[in-house]
Amino acid sequence: MRHTITILVENEFGVLTRIAGLFSARGYNIETLNVAPTLDETVSRLTLVTYGDEKIIEQIKKQLNKLIPVIKVEDISYTVHLERGMLMVKAIDAGDLREKAEQAGANIIDHEAGNYFIAEFAGTPEALDGFLASVDDEYVIESTRTGPVGMRRGSKGFVV
Amino acid sequence: MQMTGAEIFVECLKREGVEVIFGYPGGAVLPIYDAIFQQSHFKHILVRHEQAALHAANGYARVSGKCGVSLVTSGPGATNAITGLADSNADSIPNVCFTGQVPLAMIGTDAFQEADIIGITRSATKHNFLVKDVKDLAMTIRQAFHIATTGRPGSVVVDIPKDLGFAKCEFVWPEEVNMRSYQPKTAGHSGQIKKAIKAMLAAKRPMLYSGGGIMNAQGSASLLKTLAHQLNAPVTNTLMGLGGIPYDDSHFVGMLGMHGTYEANMAVSHCDLLVSIGARFDDRVTGRLDAFAPDAKIIHIDVDPTSISKNVDVDLPIVGDVGIVLQQMLDELSHQGGVPDVEALKLWWQQIDEWRAKDSLGFEQSNEGPIKPQTVIRKVHDITNGDAIVTTDVGQHQMWAAQHYGFKKPHKFLTSGGLGTMGYGLPAAVGAAMAFPDEPIVVFTGDASIQMCIQELATAYQYRQKIVVVLLNNAYMGMVRQWQEMFHESRFSHSYFDSLPDFAKLAEAYGGVGITVDTLDELDKALEVAFGSQESFVFIDIAVAKEENVFPMVPAGAALNEMVLA
Ligand SMILES: Cc1ncc(C[n+]2csc(CCOP(=O)(O)OP(=O)(O)O)c2C)c(N)n1
Ligand SMILES: [Mg+2]
């Protein structure tokens, strides 16, 4: 089962290694991991996507909490929440490819007519998958995407 | 007041109440060693290998209830310390290790004696710190001690670049440590405690199973005993928990697990309520998981939430310090005023007594035959009246010590349980001797294990420590040989030595008294000498039955009730 876990940590050196190290040492999976400082610059926020059975997910959450610089851990998978990731695709500018990308909701952020274009697309992980699938592989030069960031709906915030 | 980093180091240790540290100098810690030379607040014990510094600090911590402290240099000094860090962390022993680091500006340049100690020790410690500014040193030291000693204790590294030792700043002592990201829980949830007491009073076949948590929660051993007697429930201890209840207490059924007693393992396999108190369901304790305590509702008291339902699914978790939780339980018990099920418990004890009658630790010692290792342990118990501080190495001798010494009190049995570190015993005794120089201290060791830290005889002699090293010499890596005999059709691949040294001579060379023992008579005489008045350590090399095996034994992967008895 796929779980999206949000984490607040002290914004200090080495925290990311501690989290990554925990997953590798205990054989847990990380599908994606996003991290950036928050408005409060002493705190960083992570969104981590992992999968495993209930017992493993329970251990993952406890083990994360046990790391000294980890302030808070929340598994948002079971709550009403939103997830958004971002994707960039560089493709050959041929036929109506660019137009179709725009119609699908992408922004064209770079473009050299007849040569190539770069499309930027944001959305749920599924929407990103869908968009990527809609672009003909043959024309894709490269693509890169982030894992999702996420938060719960409602007025309550996940803050320190 | 302006102080150098090295002076701040000394001042902080003084304020933390440190009385003794174990260490080994080198380039990166010279500024700190210089400051140590000029102070008299704490003693520095010079070991002969950094691994031993950590084990000694561990031994000191276990018997004194204080935090162990060590100091080693950068690079190889710090890498030598890693086994000791992992060992203390596995056994939840508070141990702070200060490591020197190359000067700040040289970090990352592959400088002489540079090692990425933060990276290397990350998974061997509870936490680690690299101090990058002398202004942060005092707070970091404060946090290191706080983290090492609270919650589930463990090892903590503070890596200090050499130039911080010389750098100056205004010294400010942080009166408090308050870390928003680290707030260990101490008291148990009262609702859970109510439920637990209800379950305990309703149980027909209750069983208490206690571990190292009883050692870490000062004063909890007497609470455990009271609870056991009030519930009229049998108690078993893990290896780490021995001494949690006196060995001769009517309610004690011995150690459980791979080399546990028949009655302890059978009782766990048949109980209807298992209360784990500061123990973590280690695989050496549980045997095959799906057959572990199959009929039992399980209550688990642990200060570390990750221990709960990690290996065994728990019905009623209680997160908290076992000392506080046990007190809460006793209060709740008197508040509810209930009584246990007398009739059911009578039957339960009858059953347990039947299991006890198997005498699963029994062995035969003939007058002429070779000395049985079990005999040695029992004789040492007798001559020390069961009051000695006992350390062990790892192997058969360790299990025999656990089974046969008989501990009356907590903090008397020092053994490497989680990591199973050969080489632990002698340095741990060196550490213990710094806390209790006048108490009898015995190291039960093996011919293989002792050679992993034998250099510490020099330390024992330097500080004139009256340690008694009891070498159960079977001329084998006995435990390895036992497994090879049982599970690898007696192919004794590399488990014996053709060139054991003359240990008695070696001991003499190090300054102590060395005695070789072959017969029971010699054994009695040697023990008299060893526990008589001595200037320093005594090393008794005892030729024991070479092929004796440790029983009972639950083979790896078998269920607890599938013990091999002999
Ligand atoms: C550092 C380390 N290396 C290897 C082992 C594996 N090991 C466990 S017991 C043992 C043999 C110990 O032999 P000895 O010290 O003579 O004790 P005995 O079993 O004979 O009593 C070995 C090699 C270990 N526990 N620790
Ligand atoms: Mg041996």
Side-chain angles (χ1 to χ4, degrees):
Chain A
M1 174 60 192
R2 179 182 181 277
H3 283 251
T4 306
I5 297 173
T6 50
I7 310 165
L8 297 180
V9 299
E10 296 290 350
N11 185 10
E12 59 188 38
F13 112 109
V15 182
L16 204 53
T17 335
R18 290 182 204 281
I19 290 174
L22 163 67
F23 277 72
S24 65
R26 295 188 183 266
Y28 305 142
N29 306 298
I30 298 184
E31 194 169 275
T32 66
L33 180 60
N34 266 279
V35 54
T38 60
L39 286 176
D40 172 354
E41 77 254 17
T42 66
V43 177
S44 284
R45 178 164 174 149
L46 292 89
T47 308
L48 188 151
V49 177
T50 181
Y51 47 94
D53 62 31
E54 287 312 302
K55 198 169 164 151
I56 288 179
I57 298 294
E58 198 50 42
Q59 264 297 312
I60 288 178
K61 286 187 268 183
K62 287 179 182 175
Q63 294 287 353
L64 282 168
N65 264 313
K66 192 172 165 179
L67 294 175
I68 306 291
V70 169
I71 304 167
K72 256 185 179 179
V73 175
E74 187 177 49
D75 185 354
I76 59 176
S77 318
Y78 290 132
T79 66
V80 196
H81 74 279
L82 296 166
E83 283 180 36
R84 293 292 181 271
M86 185 185 153
L87 170 75
M88 286 163 80
V89 183
K90 185 188 289 179
I92 295 167
D93 189 20
D96 59 352
L97 217 57
R98 184 158 45 88
E99 238 164 64
K100 272 164 87 184
E102 272 187 309
Q103 277 161 17
N107 290 323
I108 304 302
I109 54 177
D110 190 15
H111 172 210
E112 204 176 283
N115 189 2
Y116 78 96
F117 68 91
I118 298 176
E120 162 208 76
F121 184 88
T124 63
E126 299 75 31
L128 262 53
D129 291 343
F131 177 76
L132 208 51
S134 76
V135 188
D136 195 338
D137 272 8
E138 241 178 274
Y139 298 98
V140 175
I141 300 167
E142 63 170 315
S143 75
T144 180
R145 64 188 283 183
T146 66
V149 293
M151 60 171 67
R152 301 170 66 146
R153 284 183 186 270
S155 63
K156 230 179 104 206
F158 182 59
V159 287
V160 177
Chain B
M1 191 173 59
Q2 289 277 315
M3 281 189 179
T4 66
E7 288 162 353
I8 290 173
F9 173 89
V10 166
E11 184 63 25
C12 287
L13 262 56
K14 177 187 133 193
R15 293 190 187 221
E16 287 289 349
V18 174
E19 286 168 6
V20 54
I21 76 172
F22 303 86
Y24 206 95
V29 283
L30 283 181
I32 292 179
Y33 266 90
D34 201 39
I36 288 176
F37 188 84
Q38 302 174 52
Q39 59 86 42
S40 55
H41 306 300
F42 55 85
K43 277 192 214 133
H44 175 279
I45 303 304
L46 180 68
V47 292
R48 299 301 189 268
H49 187 295
E50 289 86 354
Q51 179 184 346
L54 273 286
H55 293 331
N58 173 306
Y60 174 82
R62 289 200 200 197
V63 295
S64 69
K66 299 184 67 166
C67 188
V69 184
S70 55
L71 171 62
V72 303
T73 193
S74 68
T79 54
N80 269 351
I82 286 167
T83 300
L85 290 168
D87 183 276
S88 289
N89 215 42
D91 284 343
S92 313
I93 305 302
N95 215 350
V96 173
C97 178
F98 294 94
T99 54
Q101 183 51 276
V102 300
L104 267 176
M106 292 175 81
I107 291 180
T109 64
D110 299 321
F112 177 64
Q113 295 196 328
E114 179 182 0
D116 170 17
I117 285 309
I118 295 302
I120 297 176
T121 63
R122 203 188 52 236
S123 60
T125 54
K126 182 170 174 185
H127 196 56
N128 56 20
F129 297 93
L130 169 64
V131 190
K132 287 185 168 170
D133 187 332
V134 68
K135 291 199 226 54
D136 298 334
L137 185 58
M139 183 49 113
T140 307
I141 293 176
R142 201 95 167 82
Q143 290 183 343
F145 277 91
H146 177 60
I147 291 168
T149 53
T150 54
R152 176 176 174 180
S155 50
V156 176
V157 162
V158 182
D159 202 24
I160 307 176
K162 180 171 184 176
D163 44 340
L164 259 58
F166 298 118
K168 281 192 169 175
C169 75
E170 187 66 26
F171 173 70
V172 187
W173 174 245
E175 287 301 334
E176 268 180 57
V177 237
N178 197 354
M179 303 172 70
R180 64 179 168 186
S181 66
Y182 176 71
Q183 311 266 344
K185 219 170 156 230
T186 51
H189 185 276
S190 59
Q192 296 289 83
I193 298 213
K194 274 202 182 76
K195 281 190 213 158
I197 293 298
K198 242 193 200 122
M200 288 177 187
L201 290 175
K204 298 196 181 315
R205 300 185 307 281
M207 179 85 192
L208 307 183
Y209 142 59
S210 79
I214 294 288
M215 306 298 137
N216 282 329
Q218 300 292 329
S220 61
S222 66
L223 303 177
L224 171 66
K225 186 173 158 176
T226 309
L227 183 69
H229 284 259
Q230 288 197 9
L231 295 171
N232 194 16
V235 185
T236 181
N237 288 159
T238 67
L239 182 68
M240 300 302 298
L242 288 171
I245 187 156
Y247 78 103
D248 53 0
D249 188 279
S250 55
H251 286 60
F252 184 52
V253 295
M255 181 171 77
L256 83 166
M258 184 169 273
H259 293 296
T261 62
Y262 184 71
E263 53 270 34
N265 285 342
M266 290 304 275
V268 169
S269 300
H270 289 84
C271 66
D272 68 351
L273 176 75
L274 183 68
V275 186
S276 168
I277 307 165
R280 61 184 175 90
F281 297 87
D282 180 85
D283 53 278
R284 288 302 193 252
V285 156
T286 61
R288 202 174 76 234
L289 277 177
D290 61 17
F292 178 73
D295 304 331
K297 179 182 168 91
I298 298 180
I299 299 176
H300 188 175
I301 310 168
D302 205 302
V303 75
D304 176 8
T306 67
S307 288
I308 291 173
S309 292
K310 179 171 60 183
N311 301 335
V312 168
D313 289 328
V314 167
D315 300 290
L316 195 85
I318 301 177
V319 176
D321 178 291
V322 296
I324 294 171
V325 172
L326 283 175
Q327 187 58 60
Q328 288 176 291
M329 285 184 157
L330 290 174
D331 293 347
E332 179 61 27
L333 198 57
S334 61
H335 177 72
Q336 285 191 17
V339 280
D341 186 336
V342 180
E343 276 310 303
L345 285 168
K346 206 166 132 195
L347 292 175
W348 182 223
W349 277 106
Q350 272 171 9
Q351 175 64 70
I352 288 169
D353 286 338
E354 261 171 51
W355 288 326
R356 272 177 169 162
K358 276 247 186 210
D359 188 21
S360 62
L361 298 181
F363 64 97
E364 269 165 40
Q365 174 68 63
S366 74
N367 281 331
E368 304 75 41
I371 301 174
K372 287 288 177 81
Q374 300 94 317
T375 303
V376 179
I377 310 254
R378 295 201 169 206
K379 279 184 183 290
V380 173
H381 169 102
D382 291 344
I383 197 164
T384 57
N385 195 26
D387 288 325
I389 293 169
V390 172
T391 78
T392 77
D393 273 300
V394 175
Q396 293 182 314
H397 64 274
Q398 176 188 30
M399 293 301 121
W400 284 315
Q403 293 175 334
H404 295 278
Y405 183 79
F407 297 91
K408 293 181 184 168
K409 290 190 195 142
H411 312 125
K412 294 285 190 184
F413 184 49
L414 283 52
T415 194
S416 172
L419 202 64
T421 312
M422 291 169 67
Y424 170 82
L426 176 58
V430 165
M434 291 317 299
F436 294 105
D438 300 322
E439 289 199 14
I441 301 181
V442 183
V443 183
F444 287 116
T445 185
D447 43 290
S449 293
I450 190 63
Q451 296 190 71
M452 287 209 180
C453 270
I454 198 160
Q455 76 285 344
E456 296 312 312
L457 288 177
T459 312
Y461 187 68
Q462 179 174 343
Y463 299 97
R464 299 298 189 273
Q465 297 179 327
K466 297 177 179 64
I467 292 168
V468 178
V469 180
V470 176
L471 169 57
L472 302 175
N473 191 339
N474 50 13
Y476 269 115
M477 295 177 196
M479 190 56 95
V480 174
R481 190 202 53 73
Q482 176 169 348
W483 281 56
Q484 288 172 332
E485 179 189 321
M486 294 175 72
F487 312 117
H488 299 275
E489 299 173 317
S490 294
R491 286 183 295 276
F492 299 127
S493 182
H494 301 277
S495 54
Y496 65 98
F497 295 110
D498 286 334
S499 58
L500 287 175
D502 181 333
F503 286 106
K505 266 194 194 157
L506 192 56
E508 301 266 344
Y510 273 113
V513 173
I515 309 173
T516 308
V517 165
D518 286 301
T519 65
L520 287 168
D521 270 356
E522 288 170 0
L523 176 59
D524 288 333
K525 282 192 200 114
L527 292 177
E528 289 289 332
V529 171
F531 292 99
S533 62
Q534 288 297 336
E535 186 204 355
S536 183
F537 73 87
V538 177
F539 192 117
I540 316 177
D541 175 8
I542 307 166
V544 295
K546 281 189 161 51
E547 286 164 15
E548 186 74 9
N549 286 337
V550 183
F551 291 116
M553 177 170 188
V554 179
L560 277 193
N561 59 358
E562 295 165 358
M563 270 164 288
V564 182
L565 286 177

Coordinates of all heavy atoms in Angstrom, one line a residue, chain B residues 446-448 472 474-478, ligand 2:
Chain B
G446 N 36.4 -16.5 27.6 CA 36.8 -17.7 26.8 C 38.2 -17.5 26.2 O 38.7 -16.3 26.1
D447 N 38.8 -18.6 25.8 CA 40.1 -18.5 25.2 C 40.2 -17.7 23.9 O 41.2 -17.1 23.6 CB 40.7 -19.9 25.0 CG 39.6 -20.8 24.4 OD1 38.6 -21.2 25.1 OD2 39.8 -21.1 23.2
A448 N 39.1 -17.6 23.2 CA 39.0 -16.8 22.0 C 38.7 -15.4 22.3 O 39.4 -14.4 21.9 CB 38.0 -17.4 21.0
L472 N 37.5 -19.7 31.1 CA 37.0 -21.1 30.9 C 37.6 -21.6 29.6 O 37.1 -21.3 28.5 CB 35.5 -21.1 30.9 CG 34.9 -20.5 32.2 CD1 33.4 -20.5 32.0 CD2 35.3 -21.3 33.4
N474 N 38.4 -23.9 26.9 CA 38.1 -25.1 26.3 C 38.9 -25.3 25.0 O 38.6 -26.2 24.2 CB 36.6 -25.2 26.0 CG 36.0 -24.0 25.3 OD1 36.8 -23.2 24.8 ND2 34.7 -23.8 25.3
A475 N 39.8 -24.4 24.7 CA 40.7 -24.5 23.5 C 39.8 -24.5 22.3 O 40.2 -25.1 21.3 CB 41.6 -25.7 23.6
Y476 N 38.7 -23.9 22.3 CA 37.8 -23.8 21.2 C 37.0 -22.5 21.2 O 36.8 -21.9 22.3 CB 36.7 -24.9 21.3 CG 37.0 -26.2 20.6 CD1 37.1 -27.4 21.4 CD2 37.1 -26.3 19.3 CE1 37.4 -28.6 20.8 CE2 37.4 -27.6 18.7 CZ 37.5 -28.7 19.4 OH 37.7 -29.9 18.9
M477 N 36.6 -22.1 20.1 CA 35.5 -21.1 20.1 C 34.3 -21.9 20.4 O 33.5 -22.4 19.5 CB 35.4 -20.4 18.7 CG 36.6 -19.6 18.3 SD 36.3 -19.0 16.7 CE 37.9 -18.5 16.2
G478 N 34.1 -22.2 21.6 CA 33.1 -23.2 22.1 C 31.7 -23.0 21.4 O 31.1 -24.0 21.0
Ligands
MG2 MG 36.6 -21.2 24.2

